[in-house]
Amino acid sequence: MENGTQIFRPTEEPSACVKEVKSLMWVYVLVGNVIRGIGETPIMPLGISYIEDFAKSENSPLYIGFIETGAIIGPLIGLLLASFCANVYVDTGSVNTDDLTITPTDTRWVGAWWFGFLICAGVNVLTAIPFFFLPKTLPKEGQMDNDDVLKTDKEEKHTDEVKKEKDGITKDFLPYMRSLLFNPVYMLFILISVLQFNAFVNMMSFMPKYLEQQYGKSASDAIFLIGIYNLPPICIGYVVGGLIMKKFKITVKQAAHIGCWLSLLEYLLYFLCFLTTCQNSSVAGLTTSYEGIQHDFYVGNTAFADCNMACNCPTKIWDPVCGDNGLSYMSACLAGCEKSIGSGINMVFQNCSCIQTSVNSSAVLGLCNRGHDCDMMLQYFLILSTVSSFIYSLAAIPGYMVLLRCIKSEEKSLGVGIHAFSTRVFAGIPAPIYFGALVDSTCLHWGTLKCGEPGACRIYDTTNFRYIYLGLPAALRGSSYIPALMILFILRKRRLPGENVSSGIVLVKKKLTGKDNEYTDMQQNPKFVNDEEMKTKL
């Protein structure tokens, strides 16, 4: 029976742990990501601050909404590409895929992750070409037809350049930093962003694994569903949020209220996801007994039963099969199967002593399906996720405008840069580490590498996994509403620097209109008869 089990284990791990230790290919991936990060980091801080400085105040939210939409369309295409790559075996071209006995739904399946890197690298090179043709400077929107204003802007710009040459960047850096650090609205907004971004990174990073373990979907299907159900509503929400800001000329204080209360509405809706649950996969000796009775986890080694005690089966092997009785087994050996017919993914095991049915007691490769009820729960979860994504993105642009308008114009680039730096250092880097450790604590069965070291987790306790996946982001986001309410309280009696932008434009228009009216009055007034006096007055 033990020798028979060996043919039932066609694939253990894509690579042995000995090769993983000696391989340094991860260094290339690390260096590539570092270089990519250096190149793309200045785009958002400098680009958004440029739009805020040189666009009309009522138009900048819409423009920023378009930029954020573009930042979502990219991941949408990337997820669709990843879904395709995840369906292709990692060693395609070097192995005969017809001999594989695992499918993309198997947790041991590794997709062709490297294929996406090649495609994205080529696309990045092509997208970099248009940047070489951008002009050095662009006029401020709405002032292109006014020569006096353009002249004034050029003079101010020349004065600023001369001042920078004399004083240097270092002299301005410390005062700007001091001003930002003592700006309560700005610092509270960074705290909110760090907490919210921790929750967002955790949910997006582990959402494919959550769909795999909770609803029995393959990695390819999970990635595809995320791209279809989550990202398009986010794009629509960004654009609609920008249009609302432009159409109704929302002030900073109004934008703060819109962002806070819409986000709170989505947060309350988020708790309905706790109700969209599925039962654990029924695996004999792990989540259920061999009689099909559910029992508590971690009750000891129950992999053996009277039906397979004489088979001398290894307990660390994970090669699941689904029996005719609707119960899954960790391997065909533990199911008590004596022979097999067919090859590859069409292999069928027969005469299984642990499968008590009235037919032939057979089993097929893979875990058993969760059933129709679990598929319906998945649909409910995806619908809730779609609605939540739209409401959350609808509040994003008004909230982001609070960040841009709460700091001075000359501090925008530095302020947006510090905000991006803080979210990445305090959320983007640590969040997957501690969240991954918590998720691994719910593992029920670990894979084993060829040299005996532990490999990847094969099956999780879906109940505890759900509590961690949904509960921890809920706690992080809930704590972020404390500084959000503090910002609303501060804005009641505080005048922000961004509130002067629109008034400044109106003031310029009033001055120009006043000069035209004055000229009209002089024409109608008979005492301005002298041309020289009129010219002096003008």
Side-chain angles (χ1 to χ4, degrees):
M1 181 67 70
E2 183 178 1
N3 293 333
T5 306
Q6 299 300 322
I7 64 170
F8 300 159
R9 287 184 279 147
T11 305
E12 293 184 10
E13 294 290 334
S15 59
C17 58
V18 177
K19 293 183 179 180
E20 291 179 355
V21 174
K22 294 182 179 180
S23 176
L24 295 177
M25 297 301 295
W26 63 271
V27 177
Y28 293 97
V29 179
L30 176 64
V31 174
N33 278 298
V34 170
I35 296 175
R36 178 180 61 85
I38 294 174
E40 69 183 19
T41 296
I43 295 177
M44 293 301 289
L46 298 181
I48 290 179
S49 61
Y50 177 85
I51 290 176
E52 178 64 14
D53 289 337
F54 290 94
K56 291 182 180 180
S57 61
E58 63 268 21
N59 290 340
S60 59
L62 180 61
Y63 297 156
I64 294 175
F66 284 133
I67 290 181
E68 297 292 343
T69 301
I72 296 298
I73 293 177
L76 172 61
I77 300 175
L79 286 174
L80 297 179
L81 176 62
S83 177
F84 166 75
C85 295
N87 261 330
V88 181
Y89 190 63
V90 62
D91 292 328
T92 182
S94 60
V95 297
N96 186 5
T97 55
D98 294 334
D99 296 335
L100 294 177
T101 58
I102 57 176
T103 62
T105 58
D106 198 300
T107 55
R108 295 166 295 169
W109 179 275
V110 179
W113 56 268
W114 51 268
F115 191 57
F117 278 90
L118 296 179
I119 297 177
C120 293
V123 174
N124 282 335
V125 173
L126 295 177
T127 55
I129 297 176
F131 283 90
F132 290 98
F133 299 95
L134 291 176
K136 293 182 178 180
T137 58
L138 288 173
K140 185 175 177 66
E141 188 180 33
Q143 296 182 358
M144 288 182 286
D145 297 332
N146 194 303
D147 295 336
D148 293 335
V149 178
L150 285 176
K151 184 177 180 181
T152 304
D153 288 343
K154 290 181 180 179
E155 292 176 354
E156 291 178 355
K157 183 178 179 181
H158 178 70
T159 304
D160 293 338
E161 290 177 354
V162 173
K163 182 180 178 181
K164 285 183 179 180
E165 291 177 359
K166 290 182 179 180
D167 297 339
I169 300 176
T170 309
K171 188 174 181 180
D172 292 334
F173 178 76
L174 294 179
Y176 289 168
M177 281 294 297
R178 174 183 170 82
S179 176
L180 292 174
L181 292 176
F182 284 92
N183 187 334
V185 177
Y186 176 75
M187 295 306 296
L188 288 172
F189 193 91
I190 286 184
L191 178 59
I192 295 172
S193 300
V194 170
L195 293 173
Q196 294 270 1
F197 203 65
N198 266 279
F200 178 76
V201 169
N202 291 335
M203 293 187 65
M204 291 305 297
S205 299
F206 291 89
M207 193 173 184
K209 184 175 289 293
Y210 181 75
L211 296 182
E212 290 180 55
Q213 296 293 326
Q214 187 72 32
Y215 304 106
K217 292 297 178 182
S218 66
S220 174
D221 291 341
I223 295 172
F224 180 79
L225 291 174
I226 293 172
I228 294 300
Y229 280 87
N230 288 86
L231 297 187
I234 294 178
C235 296
I236 298 173
Y238 282 149
V239 176
V240 173
L243 286 172
I244 292 175
M245 293 284 294
K246 174 181 171 61
K247 178 69 176 178
F248 298 101
K249 295 180 173 59
I250 305 296
T251 63
V252 180
K253 297 178 181 179
Q254 292 172 340
H257 280 277
I258 292 174
C260 179
W261 301 121
L262 280 177
S263 177
L264 182 61
L265 174 63
E266 185 272 330
Y267 176 68
L268 297 176
L269 186 65
Y270 169 81
F271 284 94
L272 294 177
C273 293
F274 282 93
L275 303 178
T276 57
T277 62
C278 289
Q279 296 294 329
N280 282 285
S281 295
S282 298
V283 181
L286 197 61
T287 62
T288 64
S289 65
Y290 277 85
E291 291 76 23
I293 302 174
Q294 295 284 338
H295 61 69
D296 296 333
F297 305 129
Y298 313 112
V299 294
N301 186 7
T302 58
F304 293 109
D306 295 337
C307 59
N308 59 19
M309 191 67 69
C311 296
N312 194 20
C313 302
T315 59
K316 294 183 178 180
I317 295 299
W318 180 259
D319 199 1
V321 294
C322 176
D324 289 339
N325 56 355
L327 198 62
S328 299
Y329 300 86
M330 288 186 283
S331 67
C333 180
L334 290 173
C337 301
E338 297 179 357
K339 66 177 183 179
S340 65
I341 58 174
S343 62
I345 60 176
N346 298 318
M347 185 181 298
V348 178
F349 304 94
Q350 295 179 342
N351 299 337
C352 303
S353 57
C354 294
I355 302 176
Q356 302 297 330
T357 59
S358 57
V359 198
N360 57 358
S361 302
S362 63
V364 295
L365 288 169
L367 292 172
C368 297
N369 293 327
R370 301 293 184 90
H372 177 72
D373 293 340
C374 192
D375 292 337
M376 291 301 299
M377 286 296 177
L378 173 61
Q379 294 299 322
Y380 296 149
F381 176 81
L382 293 174
I383 293 173
L384 285 173
S385 180
T386 301
V387 177
S388 299
S389 298
F390 174 74
I391 298 176
Y392 187 81
S393 60
L394 194 64
I397 297 301
Y400 203 79
M401 296 311 299
V402 176
L403 170 68
L404 296 176
R405 302 287 170 82
C406 75
I407 52 182
K408 299 177 183 178
S409 177
E410 61 271 15
E411 300 171 357
K412 278 189 174 63
S413 297
L414 180 61
V416 175
I418 293 176
H419 175 264
F421 174 80
S422 300
T423 54
R424 281 160 176 77
V425 171
F426 298 109
I429 296 176
I433 297 175
Y434 70 77
F435 199 77
L438 291 174
V439 169
D440 285 343
S441 66
T442 66
C443 183
L444 294 178
H445 186 85
W446 290 93
T448 305
L449 299 178
K450 288 183 178 179
C451 58
E453 295 185 2
C457 183
R458 299 309 184 192
I459 185 172
Y460 292 84
D461 176 6
T462 56
T463 302
N464 291 331
F465 191 177
R466 180 175 69 253
Y467 289 153
I468 292 176
Y469 177 78
L470 298 176
L472 182 58
L476 290 170
R477 293 188 57 192
S479 61
S480 69
Y481 290 103
I482 298 176
L485 295 176
M486 294 174 64
I487 287 181
L488 296 181
F489 179 78
I490 294 173
L491 290 178
R492 292 176 59 185
K493 299 180 180 180
R494 183 182 178 90
R495 185 176 182 85
L496 298 177
E499 293 179 339
N500 298 327
V501 176
S502 58
S503 61
I505 296 175
V506 174
L507 182 61
V508 171
K509 292 182 178 179
K510 285 184 177 179
K511 287 183 179 180
L512 296 174
T513 307
K515 288 182 180 181
D516 294 338
N517 293 337
E518 187 177 354
Y519 177 73
T520 305
D521 293 339
M522 286 188 293
Q523 284 184 324
Q524 296 176 354
N525 199 331
K527 73 177 182 178
F528 293 105
V529 293
N530 194 321
D531 292 341
E532 295 296 331
E533 185 178 356
M534 183 180 295
K535 291 179 180 179
T536 304
K537 186 65 177 176
L538 286 173

